[in-house]
């Protein structure tokens, strides 16, 4: 069974540009999550999809971030326009169940550098 | 307030020694999970301990949970250089996981 995959693995962009990150969850996992780790700090929750619906987007930092999951399969996270403080590692995770603690399987992350 | 605070923030040991990392949390939990992140790689789930469990083993890993003190520990026995990584505890709230800042473990060969 393939794990969670993320693309790209690294992205370097200039302040003001747009970047789109992609996550492919494990097949059959209805729950998809985005997290990020900024400047070596703690990993913070961004949002949670159940199929194509946003279940919880309370962790999204501001309206420069837009997440979609059309069709309930893969998800994209777009940052537009990117700012310096957006640099960090963006992780995607998926889980089969949504029961407040089912194991979440994480992807390798996308390292975003905004210069 | 922050859930899942680990200590120490950094730990450096020699290969073969044991490594102990601690985690404290603030609210009630159903379970507590430990993850590892190797440099440049994703998060790997290590072990999940439920609130009604006090201790759990998985290979060279031993996790304890003390719900009265709202704390957990992760013990790695007979450490190897490949264990060098950041270790995080995480607690679920609703469907999200809340992570601490992690412990950076360095195992010197």
């Amino acid at each position: 069974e393939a794990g969670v995959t993320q693309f790209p693995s690294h992205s370097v962009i200039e302040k003001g540009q747009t970047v789109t990150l992609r996550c492919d969850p494990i097949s059959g996992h209805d729950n998809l999550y985005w997290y990020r780790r900024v400047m070596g700090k703690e990993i913070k929750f961004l949002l949670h999809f159940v199929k194509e619906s946003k279940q919880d987007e309370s962790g999204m930092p501001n309206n420069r971030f837009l997440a979609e999951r059309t069709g309930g399969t893969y998800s994209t996270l777009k940052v537009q326009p990117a700012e310096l403080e957006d640099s960090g590692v963006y992780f995607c995770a998926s889980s089969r169940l949504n029961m407040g603690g089912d194991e979440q399987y994480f992807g390798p992350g996308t390292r975003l550098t905004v210069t | 307030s922050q859930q899942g605070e680990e200590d120490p923030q950094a730990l450096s040991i020699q290969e073969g020694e044991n490594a102990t990392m601690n985690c404290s949390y603030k609210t009630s939990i159903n379970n507590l999970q430990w993850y590892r992140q190797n440099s440049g790689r994703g998060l790997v789930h290590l072990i999940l301990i439920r609130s009604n469990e006090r201790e759990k083993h998985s290979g060279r890993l031993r996790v304890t949970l003390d719900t009265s003190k709202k704390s957990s520990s992760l013990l790695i026995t007979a450490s190897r250089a490949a264990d060098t990584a950041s270790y995080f505890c995480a607690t679920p709230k609703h469907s999200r996981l809340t992570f601490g800042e992690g412990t950076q473990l360095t195992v010197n060969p």
Side-chain angles (χ1 to χ4, degrees):
Chain A
E1 176 182 87
V4 177
T5 58
Q6 293 186 244
F7 181 84
S9 57
H10 293 87
S11 180
V12 181
I13 61 171
E14 293 182 353
K15 176 182 174 180
Q17 290 185 323
T18 298
V19 64
T20 300
L21 313 180
R22 172 171 170 144
C23 168
D24 286 77
I26 292 173
S27 178
H29 282 196
D30 288 341
N31 296 277
L32 187 149
Y33 313 82
W34 283 98
Y35 295 83
R36 73 172 181 177
R37 188 182 187 197
V38 174
M39 294 296 291
K41 294 186 177 179
E42 69 267 29
I43 300 163
K44 286 194 173 180
F45 167 84
L46 296 178
L47 86 159
H48 169 212
F49 283 100
V50 178
K51 296 185 180 179
E52 68 275 10
S53 299
K54 292 176 185 174
Q55 182 78 8
D56 180 356
E57 54 182 330
S58 61
M60 295 287 265
N62 52 61
N63 59 11
R64 295 185 294 103
F65 290 75
L66 175 64
E68 294 180 322
R69 193 184 181 194
T70 306
T73 54
Y74 71 90
S75 174
T76 58
L77 179 64
K78 181 161 70 174
V79 185
Q80 178 182 30
E83 297 290 343
L84 298 178
E85 63 264 25
D86 300 332
S87 295
V89 181
Y90 289 76
F91 294 102
C92 175
S94 72
S95 69
R96 185 172 56 88
L97 302 175
N98 176 20
M99 293 174 62
D102 186 43
E103 180 179 342
Q104 296 182 15
Y105 296 84
F106 281 79
T110 292
R111 182 173 295 277
L112 175 64
T113 302
V114 183
T115 62
Chain B
S1 61
Q2 178 175 306
Q3 290 275 78
E5 298 178 0
E6 291 96 338
D7 78 85
Q9 290 188 330
L11 180 62
S12 182
I13 60 174
Q14 294 300 122
E15 208 164 24
E17 293 180 338
N18 295 341
T20 299
M21 289 160 272
N22 302 298
C23 165
S24 61
Y25 57 93
K26 292 181 170 58
T27 62
S28 61
I29 59 172
N30 292 323
N31 65 68
L32 185 142
Q33 303 173 37
W34 284 90
Y35 286 81
R36 180 186 71 213
Q37 183 192 10
N38 290 78
S39 178
R41 298 195 175 184
L43 287 166
V44 174
H45 185 268
L46 295 176
I47 196 165
L48 181 154
I49 185 166
R50 301 197 183 280
S51 59
N52 61 354
E53 297 176 308
R54 291 294 168 261
E55 186 172 312
K56 198 164 182 179
H57 296 254
S58 177
R60 294 184 295 112
L61 305 180
R62 173 179 167 248
V63 170
T64 64
L65 179 64
D66 186 336
T67 53
S68 66
K69 295 181 180 178
K70 291 186 168 57
S71 67
S72 173
S73 68
L74 171 67
L75 168 67
I76 302 174
T77 60
S79 64
R80 305 166 182 169
D83 294 329
T84 295
S86 293
Y87 291 82
F88 299 88
C89 69
T91 53
K93 181 178 181 182
H94 305 303
S95 58
R96 68 172 72 177
L97 290 173
T98 300
F99 292 84
E101 294 192 14
T103 293
Q104 174 59 48
L105 172 66
T106 302
V107 181
N108 301 300

